[in-house]
Amino acid sequence: QVQLVESGGGLVQPGGSLRLSCVASGRIFSINDMGWYRQAPGKQRELVATITGGGSTNYVDSVKGRFTISRDNAKNTVYLQMNSLKPEDTAVYYCYADHDTGWTHFLYWGQGTQVSVSS
C-alpha cells in the first residue's frame, strides 16, 4: 500500500506563487510517472502536469510558462511550482503516482489540496 500526502495549497492573490508538494510513502517498489490533476467547481478533473521517472515533463497549455513540475526520486516526492497564478487556477489539486511492483501497475492518489487565487 502506498500513501500520497499533499501540502502547500492556500489562498494567494493573482500574480502570486505557491509550491505544492506530494510525498509518497509506504511499501514502495518503483514509481514511474507522477503528476498533478486539478478540479475546479463544476468542471471535470484536468491533467495539469506530468513527469516521468527520467524527468521528462508535460503540461496543459494553460499553465505552460507559469508552472514547473519536478521530482526528487530519493524522497519519492513530486513538486508543482506555480507562478503568475490566475483566478482560473483556483481548484483542488490532486497528485498521483504510477506505482510499479514489477508485475503490476497501480495509480495512487493524494487527498487533494485547495488552491484559491483571489484578490
Side-chain angles (χ1 to χ4, degrees):
Q1 190 75 4
V2 175
Q3 298 82 38
L4 299 181
V5 178
E6 299 133 336
S7 61
L11 174 63
V12 64
Q13 292 186 339
S17 298
L18 285 174
R19 189 192 195 208
L20 305 183
S21 300
C22 174
V23 181
S25 63
R27 193 181 180 197
I28 296 173
F29 287 83
S30 177
I31 297 177
N32 295 327
D33 291 3
M34 301 184 80
W36 295 89
Y37 277 77
R38 66 185 178 187
Q39 187 164 22
K43 295 188 176 181
Q44 289 188 330
R45 190 172 290 197
E46 173 186 47
L47 179 60
V48 177
T50 65
I51 185 167
T52 68
S56 297
T57 59
N58 275 293
Y59 300 90
V60 67
D61 285 347
S62 60
V63 308
K64 285 180 180 177
R66 300 188 299 122
F67 290 11
T68 302
I69 188 171
S70 61
R71 65 190 283 175
D72 184 333
N73 291 331
K75 296 181 179 179
N76 294 315
T77 300
V78 63
Y79 306 97
L80 187 67
Q81 178 66 43
M82 305 185 293
N83 298 328
S84 303
L85 282 160
K86 304 175 180 180
E88 51 264 43
D89 294 318
T90 295
V92 178
Y93 284 69
Y94 300 89
C95 68
Y96 75 90
D98 177 14
H99 184 240
D100 183 357
T101 65
W103 60 89
T104 188
H105 290 252
F106 192 85
L107 215 58
Y108 287 94
W109 293 89
Q111 79 286 354
T113 185
Q114 177 70 48
V115 171
S116 298
V117 185
S118 175
S119 55

